[in-house]
Amino acid sequence: MEKDMKYAILDLLGKLKTIDYISPDAIPNIDLYMDQITSFMDSQLENSKRHEDDKLLTKTMINNYTKNDLLPPPNKKKYSKEHLLTLIFIYYLKNILSISDIQSILNPITDKYFGKKDSEFDMSDIYTEIFRMEEEETTKLLKEFSKKYSIAKDTFKDFPEEDQEELQTFAFICLLSFDIYMKKRLIEKLIDDVITDEGETNDQPKK
């Protein structure tokens, strides 16, 4: 049973290697209609699906992001490369953060860099830098997951043998969940500090 669990975890870690950010080189430089946007995201993030029929991005989602001021409106129903880059950021952030939290950290970025083609830096530069950083972190994260699995595998040795695999799997899930919980709390604290700092700055009387 222990071997079955080990093979299952190794298989999972192998699959996680294929879940990457969309390469900057893969993003079209032409404007796209909404159907083309959703098709592109589905094809690029196929390995991110938990179930085969999962929808990664729908028309309703895109419209809601625009209504909530997360995504700048399209130009004559067409979305630019920068729209697509912003949607990719939203896709990853929405898995752990609320819409209001995403607004707090993403809107200042789009306000400064979205549609600034004549400026030194734009959204493409932001995305490329983030992609480079995340690509470097993937191998480190897989090693971290393997270490947590080894820790979990060494627990519940005194329990009945027929229960050990289930309990060790539970321990592994708890370790991963605690890690996510702590990181999420840190992210929220950073966001709250940014909101507080911006609020204090905006409230200061103009000279």
Side-chain angles (χ1 to χ4, degrees):
M1 296 297 288
E2 184 177 326
K3 289 184 178 180
D4 291 341
M5 177 185 172
K6 180 179 179 180
Y7 291 143
I9 297 300
L10 290 175
D11 180 62
L12 174 61
L13 293 177
K15 289 179 179 178
L16 288 176
K17 291 181 182 179
T18 65
I19 301 178
D20 294 325
Y21 276 104
I22 300 172
S23 169
D25 296 333
I27 299 173
N29 278 314
I30 59 173
D31 293 348
L32 302 174
Y33 288 106
M34 187 178 289
D35 285 339
Q36 294 172 309
I37 291 284
T38 55
S39 295
F40 174 82
M41 291 288 280
D42 273 340
S43 64
Q44 292 291 319
L45 296 172
E46 180 71 25
N47 291 322
S48 297
K49 290 184 178 181
R50 183 178 181 182
H51 304 293
E52 188 175 346
D53 58 348
D54 284 348
K55 298 294 183 183
L56 300 176
L57 187 68
T58 66
K59 295 179 182 179
T60 301
M61 290 179 188
I62 295 175
N63 286 330
N64 285 337
Y65 297 151
T66 302
K67 289 178 182 177
N68 284 288
D69 295 323
L70 267 178
L71 184 72
N75 181 20
K76 297 179 180 178
K77 297 185 178 181
K78 280 193 171 184
Y79 295 83
S80 66
K81 178 180 180 179
E82 291 187 310
H83 279 104
L84 189 50
L85 294 172
T86 306
L87 281 169
I88 295 171
F89 282 130
I90 294 171
Y91 168 76
Y92 285 105
L93 292 171
K94 74 182 180 67
N95 288 288
I96 56 172
L97 298 176
S98 66
I99 292 296
S100 60
D101 279 344
I102 297 174
Q103 285 176 323
S104 298
I105 58 176
L106 188 58
N107 283 8
I109 303 298
T110 54
D111 287 345
K112 292 178 182 178
Y113 296 101
F114 192 100
K116 308 296 183 181
K117 294 182 179 180
D118 296 331
S119 301
E120 184 178 2
F121 300 108
D122 59 18
M123 288 297 292
S124 293
D125 298 306
I126 302 293
Y127 185 87
T128 299
E129 185 69 10
I130 296 296
F131 176 84
R132 180 194 61 77
M133 178 183 66
E134 295 296 341
E135 196 172 31
E136 292 175 357
E137 286 295 306
T138 300
T139 301
K140 296 178 185 178
L141 286 172
L142 291 173
K143 289 180 179 178
E144 181 184 327
F145 294 157
S146 297
K147 182 179 179 180
K148 282 182 168 58
Y149 164 69
S150 297
I151 294 171
K153 188 178 69 173
D154 200 40
T155 59
F156 297 106
K157 295 294 187 180
D158 296 330
F159 280 66
E161 186 176 351
E162 63 271 18
D163 294 338
Q164 287 182 14
E165 181 182 11
E166 181 180 25
L167 291 168
Q168 288 168 356
T169 301
F170 179 69
F172 186 42
I173 291 172
C174 286
L175 275 176
L176 294 173
S177 298
F178 182 71
D179 184 66
I180 293 169
Y181 169 76
M182 293 299 291
K183 289 176 180 177
K184 187 171 185 291
R185 288 295 304 273
L186 176 58
I187 292 169
E188 291 171 345
K189 182 66 167 61
L190 289 170
I191 292 172
D192 290 343
D193 287 347
V194 169
I195 294 173
T196 301
D197 290 344
E198 287 185 349
E200 290 177 352
T201 301
N202 293 334
D203 289 341
Q204 290 179 354
K206 295 181 180 179
K207 294 182 180 180

